[in-house]
Amino acid sequence: MATVVKVEMLEKSFALLHGMLHYKNMEDLKNFSKSQGAAEADDLNHWDINFWSERLRESKYDINEEELRPFFSLPKVMDGLFSLAKMLFGIDIEPADGLALVWNSDVRFYCVKYSTGSPIAYFYFDPYSRPSEKRGGAWMDEVVARSRALSRDGTKARLPIAHMVCNQTPPVGSKPRIMTFYEGDTLMSIAKHYETGETLPEDVYLKLLAARTFRAGSLSLCQIKFATVDLELHSKYVPGGSETIYDVDQRVSKRTQVIPLLPEDRFLCSFSHIFAVDMQQDTVVIRE
């Protein structure tokens, strides 16, 4: 049984392992930026990390994320995802638009079926950003659960329905939405160029495989930091006590990050996982 103490021990072991990798990642970034003549190389700040990380990745693996976009049109990525689901689970995922009402014209409705054609479940897919209506990030949740008691006729079970929500930039004109490889969130070797049908070149595919663990230590340690803050706030934090929630965040960051948080950092205000009741961020870390 998972207890707070056991989860803490697990997180500390993860932090120790990935901490060493994180320091090595940061040293590589510092040395690379210095080799490029960056004045800030000896004092990298939060706003420098992403820029120099992308430059280092391009230099190390000769991958330009923008040049990869045409190979990852949203329809092709979805086709690849559904093909993968079929291969792994023996299920078919088919469009079911018109079978259910949708809240926006961009929202799609899909049916998940056994190979025999019998429906198992349904889900909505809402891919594009609408800042006036949607919060940031990407998530999924259930709309209704499977239930025999709540079925209309009381004999056949009501099938579950879920929703999958993203915040990608909408397409422009008649062209499909083209994604970065990392927005695709999975390695789709079957992805096609949306204009010509050209397959992703083998050498580029191999570079993508090699780059999958680029700065993995730093990225994993960031997730561990989130999980540790989540756990501390739910298990030890005392409202009105000697520490504010931001003090907890700063304290945890000092032992998990090379670059300290800015004093005015208020990331917790948008960190929705800490409002979950099921240690959501800890499960993210364990899964990864």
Side-chain angles (χ1 to χ4, degrees):
M1 176 180 171
T3 64
V4 170
V5 173
K6 289 181 179 179
V7 174
E8 285 180 331
M9 291 175 60
L10 186 63
E11 287 181 348
K12 286 178 181 178
S13 67
F14 285 165
L16 181 62
L17 171 63
H18 293 287
M20 294 185 289
L21 296 173
H22 173 56
Y23 278 93
K24 175 66 167 58
N25 292 161
M26 291 301 295
E27 194 63 24
D28 290 345
L29 213 57
K30 176 181 176 181
N31 292 336
F32 176 75
S33 59
K34 185 177 292 187
S35 73
Q36 301 301 302
E40 68 273 18
D42 290 322
D43 188 26
L44 293 175
N45 278 300
H46 297 279
W47 46 86
D48 301 315
I49 301 301
N50 286 344
F51 175 81
W52 285 113
S53 293
E54 185 61 19
R55 300 292 80 74
L56 176 57
R57 190 171 69 89
E58 290 173 356
S59 171
K60 191 172 183 179
Y61 300 104
D62 192 25
I63 294 175
N64 186 306
E65 196 165 290
E66 291 303 311
E67 292 177 359
L68 288 176
R69 280 183 180 270
F71 292 98
F72 293 93
S73 68
L74 179 58
K76 291 298 183 182
V77 171
M78 295 301 289
D79 287 345
L81 177 63
F82 296 164
S83 296
L84 183 62
K86 182 179 180 66
M87 181 179 68
L88 294 175
F89 307 113
I91 59 174
D92 293 308
I93 302 176
E94 301 176 354
D97 299 309
L99 195 60
L101 295 175
V102 295
W103 52 92
N104 186 277
S105 59
D106 290 328
V107 177
R108 301 293 307 277
F109 193 62
Y110 291 93
C111 178
V112 184
K113 297 181 178 181
Y114 290 113
S115 57
T116 59
S118 301
I120 307 170
Y122 298 89
F123 69 91
Y124 293 94
F125 178 48
D126 188 353
Y128 305 128
S129 174
R130 294 190 301 278
S132 63
E133 301 176 21
K134 296 166 65 176
R135 59 182 170 89
W139 66 95
M140 66 80 57
D141 205 344
E142 68 177 18
V143 178
V144 295
R146 180 184 176 87
S147 173
R148 188 175 298 278
L150 295 177
S151 66
R152 290 184 177 180
D153 58 14
T155 55
K156 294 181 179 179
R158 180 187 69 184
L159 297 180
I161 302 175
H163 61 245
M164 184 167 63
V165 184
C166 300
N167 267 285
Q168 298 174 15
T169 305
V172 177
S174 60
K175 291 186 176 182
R177 158 67 170 144
I178 52 176
M179 309 164 68
T180 66
F181 168 72
Y182 297 97
E183 285 176 323
D185 201 36
T186 186
L187 190 56
M188 298 293 186
S189 60
I190 58 174
K192 303 284 186 178
H193 190 295
Y194 82 90
E195 290 176 332
T196 66
E198 180 186 353
T199 305
L200 188 69
E202 180 70 11
D203 63 324
V204 176
Y205 170 70
L206 293 175
K207 289 175 183 178
L208 287 172
L209 281 179
R212 290 183 73 185
T213 57
F214 177 65
R215 298 193 72 240
S218 296
L219 298 175
S220 295
L221 194 63
C222 184
Q223 293 295 328
I224 292 166
K225 179 255 182 179
F226 295 157
T228 303
V229 171
D230 187 4
L231 186 63
E232 288 229 4
L233 290 177
H234 282 286
S235 64
K236 297 180 179 179
Y237 173 67
V238 179
S242 59
E243 283 189 312
T244 67
I245 59 173
Y246 308 114
D247 292 332
V248 174
D249 195 23
Q250 291 280 350
R251 174 166 52 78
V252 172
S253 293
K254 287 178 181 177
R255 66 174 190 262
T256 56
Q257 302 293 301
V258 173
I259 302 178
L261 293 181
L262 297 173
E264 63 271 23
D265 189 289
R266 292 297 182 266
F267 169 72
L268 288 181
C269 294
S270 61
F271 185 34
S272 60
H273 284 194
I274 62 174
F275 298 104
V277 295
D278 56 359
M279 296 173 65
Q280 186 174 357
Q281 186 60 38
D282 297 271
T283 61
V284 169
V285 170
I286 293 171
R287 182 182 70 243
E288 292 187 353

